[in-house]
Amino acid sequence: MDQVLSSVRNSCRLLKIFLDSPKELGVTELSKMLEMSKGAVHKLLSTLESEGFIRQNEKTKQYTLGYTLLELGTKVLKNHDIVDFSMPFLNRLVSRTNELVVLCVKDARDAIYVAKVDSPHPIRFTVESFRRFPLYSTTAARVLLAYQPKEFQDEILEETLKTYTPYSYTSVDSIKEDLLVIKERGYEISSNRRNNGVTGIAAPIFDASGQVTASISVIGPSDRVLPQQEDILHETLETVQEMSAQLGYRS
């Protein structure tokens, strides 16, 4: 931590606030969230604005994310080999299941959907790409967490659990028990944990070293997914097994 620049770290903290906040924020709000003086926050904003990471709305005088971040995000996506590699498999899985298919990766302590292919059904469930969420909160995320070291799992589950529906996890012990089951059987099926009336079926993708690099999940309305869960599970497992083999994994 001796190599960390506090000014750069505070700039990063400021930018991350916009991940779970309204589109625009003022100096006062940011000052409170960062627990910094308004003058210090204004200097951060001015610096970030000069480089295109932040822009100010001339009418409201509030701040929002700048277009440089969009350029960087697009570059990350283009350079993310797992996305390019996975897209043909995602498209094929959608054609076989007719439901939303997502590719999920772990980034530090969070999960992110880095790619998706929507269901062709007019009534369908959809998700927002590139949004961070806890590693225990969705089917695809829990698959990733299940294959992490126990120490890492404990760190993640030390945080206050977020609830989304009446069926969300409220007990760390329940999550830990389910993580053991996921790892033992190699997949996860769950309903209503993140969204009422929605079911996800997910499985892990292994690389040549045997590490789980990502997961794939088929997600849709429970009244469509549950009656055909065996078929969807079969297609999902077949897909991740083929992907893992092409990445060099030998079970």
Side-chain angles (χ1 to χ4, degrees), residues 157-188:
L157 298 176
E158 280 177 357
E159 303 169 2
T160 302
L161 298 181
K162 293 183 179 180
T163 57
Y164 307 91
T165 75
Y167 304 96
S168 294
Y169 287 103
T170 57
S171 163
V172 170
D173 289 340
S174 295
I175 299 177
K176 289 183 175 181
E177 289 175 8
D178 284 354
L179 293 178
L180 290 174
V181 173
I182 292 169
K183 190 172 182 180
E184 181 179 348
R185 67 186 184 184
Y187 64 87
E188 162 79 319

Side-chain angles (χ1 to χ4, degrees), residues 122-222:
I123 298 176
R124 61 193 179 188
F125 180 73
T126 189
V127 297
E128 182 180 352
S129 299
F130 315 119
R131 185 177 181 86
R132 293 176 177 273
F133 46 89
L135 279 162
Y136 56 80
S137 63
T138 73
T139 311
R142 284 192 297 279
V143 166
L144 297 176
L145 186 57
Y147 288 86
Q148 301 306 311
K150 184 179 182 301
E151 295 77 12
F152 180 81
Q153 293 178 357
D154 290 340
E155 287 181 18
I156 294 298
L157 298 176
E158 280 177 357
E159 303 169 2
T160 302
L161 298 181
K162 293 183 179 180
T163 57
Y164 307 91
T165 75
Y167 304 96
S168 294
Y169 287 103
T170 57
S171 163
V172 170
D173 289 340
S174 295
I175 299 177
K176 289 183 175 181
E177 289 175 8
D178 284 354
L179 293 178
L180 290 174
V181 173
I182 292 169
K183 190 172 182 180
E184 181 179 348
R185 67 186 184 184
Y187 64 87
E188 162 79 319
I189 301 176
S190 68
S191 302
N192 306 316
R193 294 288 191 191
R194 178 72 185 242
N195 297 278
N196 278 319
V198 175
T199 294
I201 298 176
I205 302 167
F206 294 87
D207 63 15
S209 67
Q211 300 296 309
V212 172
T213 60
S215 65
I216 279 184
S217 183
V218 179
I219 312 170
S222 297

Side-chain angles (χ1 to χ4, degrees), residues 99 199-201 218-229 232:
E99 298 296 349
T199 294
I201 298 176
V218 179
I219 312 170
S222 297
D223 58 1
R224 277 206 312 259
V225 172
L226 290 177
Q228 54 177 340
Q229 67 175 6
I232 292 177

Side-chain angles (χ1 to χ4, degrees), residues 6-16 44 47-48:
S6 60
S7 59
V8 176
R9 188 174 196 176
N10 287 331
S11 295
C12 293
R13 289 175 58 215
L14 187 153
L15 292 171
K16 286 182 177 180
L44 288 178
T47 303
L48 291 168

